[in-house]
């Protein structure tokens, strides 16, 4: 017969108890997220699933026992991922999670692994996660009591069949967040499927994109616009913003010729989500989450009859074969070159940002009369020490030994010193770009903006991206340099920019300012979002979908 009444071994009972606990815990999580009706759904689906797994464990057939172990392992693993991501980042298994995974590259993955110790500290200090662990013995006891019923498999099979049908119907008809799925396995499968379909649309959009009708702006456009996209730079560590250590000495020396914006908040705490808004007219209040439905910076430059260049020290390869939206935009440029390694076995070939400078010089020397040049940096990306040359080892752990923060252990002091050195290298790189542009061309602007910030033990033991909630570590540096020819041709524009430096700004809307610098406005352009416009006005800012001010 298929099911045996022989008692199961202790390891099997423990693995089953973990599966049962997942059901109870997910019910609690969904209740906490404001969906109390999902408790019943989780109990209807997860608990009968656990019973079926248990009955398979008791089977005399080895194949069914192996299947039961596989189901138990997958359920527990996905549950652990869901709970951990929820505690650390504010969302669990969802389309958003798979999007971040598929749009990441090997370097980002290794950087994430290196930050896991600090993440584990945050995780194990969370009451929610501790409740997860403490409840396991209770679930073990309940499992052993409930599964002692001799004929439990009869109603269990009926409930299991009904639950599967309900789950399949819900997954196939629901277009809401994956949090509304009924178990971890269909939840993960559906989230991945939706994310893959979303990313596959990029190729179609690239061939069918129809930009909005363009009109010239009222200002004299710069002949050369150089846009530097920084990486993981925290404004709070910049000397240019009042930080006491000399992290940006070169930019501080030329502060009078810079337009420095003091209160800039990115829309998100990771590259893919932040740049989807920065590089397009999409923002946090847009009606759709699909950034490719909007004009982007390259299409704007083409409308203004510019030759476009995209030089990146970010990797060409991603886990999803370069399906990221940033990769989609970069490939639209007339000249696109990635210095980063192309394949996973080239992880040791990390390049320094200074290798972008010869590419910049070659672009400035070509025959084009109007240019947009995008430089995408890697410096300040974790691991910090790999993003700058040894000559920039200026700061060391000794500089932070007197820091009163109790969580700054010697190893964290060294990591903090390496982050300071990375900012010092960023300062040098921006200065080199400005020098190169000023010596090679006229009527030019250089615009720098970090994609997002990063927490480096400044408020807690946390090291890494903040993708859960707004903190004072979420702000990013942003500045603009314009040569004498551009300032002389656009005095009103420059005055408007300086007038708005201390106002609340979201990089969500920076495309409107870039549009003016490029000399082209589309129907998507909003003057009140343009820092160069006299009509600019502060508006509500959002971080990770939550309103900040």
């Amino acid at each position: 017969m298929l099911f045996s009444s022989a008692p199961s071994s202790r390891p099997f009972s423990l693995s089953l108890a973990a599966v049962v606990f997942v059901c109870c815990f997910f019910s609690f999580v969904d209740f906490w997220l404001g969906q109390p009706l999902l408790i019943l759904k989780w109990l209807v689906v997860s608990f009968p699933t656990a019973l079926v797994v248990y009955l398979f464990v008791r089977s005399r057939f080895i194949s069914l026992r192996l299947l039961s172990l596989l189901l138990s392992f997958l359920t527990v693993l996905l549950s652990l991922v869901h709970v951990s991501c929820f505690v650390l980042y504010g969302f669990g298994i969802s389309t958003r999670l798979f999007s971040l995974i598929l749009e990441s590259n090997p370097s980002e993955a290794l950087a994430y692994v290196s930050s896991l110790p600090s993440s584990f500290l945050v995780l194990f200090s969370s009451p929610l996660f501790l409740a997860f662990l403490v409840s396991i013995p209770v679930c073990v006891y309940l499992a052993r009591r409930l599964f002692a019923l001799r004929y439990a498999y009869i109603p269990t099979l009926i409930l299991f069949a009904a639950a599967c049908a309900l789950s399949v119907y819900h997954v196939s008809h629901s277009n809401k967040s994956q949090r509304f799925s009924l178990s971890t396995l269909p939840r993960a499968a559906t989230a991945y499927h939706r994310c893959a379909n979303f990313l596959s649309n990029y190729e179609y959009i690239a061939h069918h994109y129809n930009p909005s009708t363009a009109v010239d702006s009222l200002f004299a456009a710069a002949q050369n616009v150089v846009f530097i996209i920084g990486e993981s730079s925290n404004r709070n560590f910049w000397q240019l913003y009042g930080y006491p250590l000399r992290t940006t000495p070169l930019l501080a020396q030329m502060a009078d010729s810079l337009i420095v914006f003091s209160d800039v908040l990115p829309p998100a705490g990771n590259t893919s989500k932040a740049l989807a808004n920065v590089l397009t007219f999409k923002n946090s209040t847009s009606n759709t989450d699909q950034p490719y439905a909007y004009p982007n910076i390259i299409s704007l430059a083409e409308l203004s009859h510019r030759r476009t260049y995209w030089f990146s020290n970010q990797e060409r390869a991603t886990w999803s074969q370069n399906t990221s939206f940033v990769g989609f935009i970069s490939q639209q440029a007339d000249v696109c070159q990635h210095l980063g390694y192309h394949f996973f076995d080239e992880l040791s070939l990390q390049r320094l940002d200074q290798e972008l400078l010869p590419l910049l010089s070659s672009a400035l020397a070509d025959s084009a009369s109007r240019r947009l040049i995008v430089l995408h940096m890697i410096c300040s990306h974790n691991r910090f020490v790999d993003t700058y040359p040894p000559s920039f080892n200026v700061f060391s752990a000794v500089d932070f030994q007197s820091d009163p923060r109790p969580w700054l252990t010697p190893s964290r002091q060294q990591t903090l010193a390496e982050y300071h050195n990375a900012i010092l290298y960023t300062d040098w790189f921006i200065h080199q770009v400005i020098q190169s542009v000023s010596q090679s061309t006229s009527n030019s602007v250089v615009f720098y903006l970090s994609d997002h910030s990063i927490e480096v033990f400044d408020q807690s033991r946390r090291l890494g991206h903040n993708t859960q909630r707004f903190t004072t570590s979420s702000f990013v540096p942003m500045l603009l340099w314009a040569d004498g020819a551009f300032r002389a041709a656009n005095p009103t524009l420059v005055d408007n920019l300086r007038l708005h430096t201390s106002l609340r700004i979201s990089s969500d809307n920076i495309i409107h300012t870039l549009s003016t610098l490029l000399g082209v406005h589309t129907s998507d352009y909003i003057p009140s979002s343009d820092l160069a416009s006299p009509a600019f006005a502060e508006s509500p800012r959002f971080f990770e979908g939550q309103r900040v001010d």
Side-chain angles (χ1 to χ4, degrees):
M1 68 183 184
L2 184 61
F3 301 109
S4 169
S5 60
S8 62
S9 63
R10 181 176 180 82
F12 288 132
S13 298
L14 292 177
S15 65
L16 176 63
V19 177
V20 176
F21 171 70
V22 168
C23 158
C24 301
F25 182 75
F26 271 154
S27 299
F28 170 68
V29 169
D30 282 321
F31 178 79
W32 188 27
L33 293 176
Q35 300 293 332
L37 293 180
L38 291 182
I39 293 180
L40 179 60
K41 294 181 179 179
W42 279 114
L43 291 175
V44 168
V45 175
S46 300
F47 191 71
T49 302
L51 288 176
V52 170
V53 169
Y54 177 78
L55 293 175
F56 281 171
V57 166
R58 293 167 57 92
S59 172
R60 295 177 179 176
F61 297 101
I62 299 298
S63 58
L64 291 181
R65 290 193 176 189
L66 293 177
L67 176 62
S68 120
L69 282 179
L70 177 62
L71 291 175
S72 299
F73 173 77
L74 289 177
T75 303
V76 172
L77 177 63
L78 292 173
S79 303
L80 182 61
V81 170
H82 178 83
V83 174
S84 300
C85 288
F86 178 78
V87 171
L88 291 174
Y89 310 118
F91 58 90
I93 294 177
S94 61
T95 302
R96 177 180 177 184
L97 177 64
F98 279 104
S99 177
L100 292 176
I101 294 173
L102 293 178
E103 295 188 13
S104 296
N105 49 56
S107 175
E108 291 175 330
L110 291 181
Y112 174 76
V113 171
S114 68
S115 68
L116 283 180
S118 63
S119 297
F120 284 143
L121 289 174
V122 175
L123 196 62
F124 283 96
S125 62
S126 165
L128 181 62
F129 191 79
L130 291 178
F132 182 98
L133 299 180
V134 171
S135 301
I136 291 179
V138 176
C139 293
V140 171
Y141 173 78
L142 292 177
R144 294 178 67 86
R145 297 285 295 178
L146 291 175
F147 296 144
L149 299 177
R150 182 177 181 84
Y151 298 105
Y153 69 90
I154 296 178
T156 295
L157 289 177
I158 297 175
L159 286 174
F160 179 68
C164 286
L166 179 62
S167 180
V168 170
Y169 175 83
H170 179 85
V171 168
S172 60
H173 288 76
S174 174
N175 54 6
K176 297 182 179 180
S177 167
Q178 295 309 309
R179 177 164 57 83
F180 293 85
S181 298
L182 297 182
S183 67
T184 53
L185 292 178
R187 179 195 200 101
T190 308
Y192 175 82
H193 177 70
R194 288 180 176 175
C195 180
N197 285 341
F198 175 79
L199 295 176
S200 67
N201 288 333
Y202 289 161
E203 187 67 22
Y204 175 84
I205 295 296
H207 292 90
H208 297 81
Y209 175 69
N210 183 24
S212 304
T213 303
V215 296
D216 292 334
S217 69
L218 298 178
F219 300 102
Q223 290 183 348
N224 302 284
V225 177
V226 179
F227 182 28
I228 307 173
I229 303 175
E231 171 66 45
S232 302
S233 201
N234 187 329
R235 180 204 65 182
N236 297 341
F237 291 98
W238 279 49
Q239 176 190 353
L240 195 62
Y241 288 91
Y243 187 62
L245 298 182
R246 290 172 53 82
T247 54
T248 57
L250 297 176
L251 293 178
Q253 288 177 4
M254 58 181 304
D256 291 341
S257 62
L258 300 175
I259 301 176
V260 181
F261 300 91
S262 61
D263 191 357
V264 181
L265 183 69
N270 61 76
T271 299
S272 60
K273 188 174 180 181
L275 291 186
N277 288 18
V278 168
L279 299 174
T280 73
F281 282 100
K282 176 184 177 295
N283 59 39
S284 298
T285 59
S286 298
N287 294 328
T288 175
D289 290 332
Q290 301 177 350
Y292 52 74
Y294 299 87
N296 61 64
I297 188 172
I298 297 298
S299 61
L300 285 177
E302 291 174 347
L303 290 174
S304 63
H305 308 291
R306 295 175 183 271
R307 184 165 174 79
T308 55
Y309 308 80
W310 192 290
F311 301 131
S312 174
N313 200 17
Q314 302 271 342
E315 299 81 350
R316 181 186 301 274
T318 66
W319 300 119
S320 57
Q321 301 301 315
N322 202 22
T323 55
S324 72
F325 184 68
V326 177
F328 159 70
I329 294 181
S330 70
Q331 293 170 18
Q332 292 184 21
D334 297 319
V335 179
C336 176
Q337 187 168 347
H338 291 255
L339 296 181
Y341 46 79
H342 292 188
F343 302 102
F344 187 77
D345 57 359
E346 298 176 343
L347 290 175
S348 62
L349 303 181
Q350 177 64 59
R351 307 287 189 88
L352 297 176
D353 287 329
Q354 63 198 51
E355 297 188 43
L356 294 171
L357 297 176
L359 300 178
L360 170 64
S361 298
S362 65
L364 293 173
D366 75 5
S367 58
S369 60
R370 292 157 63 94
R371 309 174 185 87
L372 167 67
I373 305 172
V374 179
L375 304 176
H376 196 176
M377 301 176 63
I378 193 66
C379 192
S380 297
H381 195 290
N382 198 8
R383 282 181 18 129
F384 311 126
V385 70
D386 293 334
T387 64
Y388 58 86
S391 59
F392 282 82
N393 276 318
V394 175
F395 297 96
S396 66
V398 176
D399 296 304
F400 305 97
Q401 286 182 349
S402 60
D403 194 299
R405 288 173 289 185
W407 56 82
L408 279 184
T409 61
S411 62
R412 290 174 184 158
Q413 290 171 356
Q414 181 58 36
T415 300
L416 183 59
E418 292 167 357
Y419 186 68
H420 282 66
N421 292 330
I423 295 178
L424 187 67
Y425 183 63
T426 298
D427 170 69
W428 174 84
F429 179 83
I430 298 173
H431 184 265
Q432 289 297 114
V433 171
I434 293 175
Q435 291 293 103
S436 180
V437 172
S438 64
Q439 295 171 6
S440 303
T441 63
S442 63
N443 194 9
S444 303
V445 297
V446 175
F447 191 93
Y448 170 85
L449 170 68
S450 181
D451 55 358
H452 57 81
S453 185
I454 188 174
E455 292 188 14
V456 191
F457 313 126
D458 40 348
Q459 299 183 50
S460 67
R461 297 171 294 183
R462 179 173 175 78
L463 170 66
H465 296 180
N466 179 10
T467 58
Q468 184 171 2
R469 65 187 183 280
F470 164 78
T471 69
T472 56
S473 299
S474 301
F475 293 99
V476 295
M478 187 174 82
L479 58 90
L480 182 141
W481 172 88
D483 65 10
F486 182 84
R487 291 197 302 269
N490 299 280
T492 303
L493 182 151
V494 174
D495 289 343
N496 289 337
L497 290 172
R498 292 191 182 279
L499 184 65
H500 301 142
T501 53
S502 61
L503 298 184
R504 298 194 307 271
I505 299 169
S506 173
S507 59
D508 233 3
N509 297 317
I510 210 63
I511 189 68
H512 300 275
T513 304
L514 291 171
S515 179
T516 293
L517 296 176
L518 292 170
V520 60
H521 290 164
T522 70
S523 58
D524 301 282
Y525 169 77
I526 302 175
S528 61
S529 297
D530 179 8
L531 292 167
S533 169
F536 177 80
E538 293 179 329
S539 60
R541 295 187 295 185
F542 296 82
F543 184 80
E544 292 292 346
Q546 299 178 358
R547 181 169 176 174
V548 174
D549 49 31

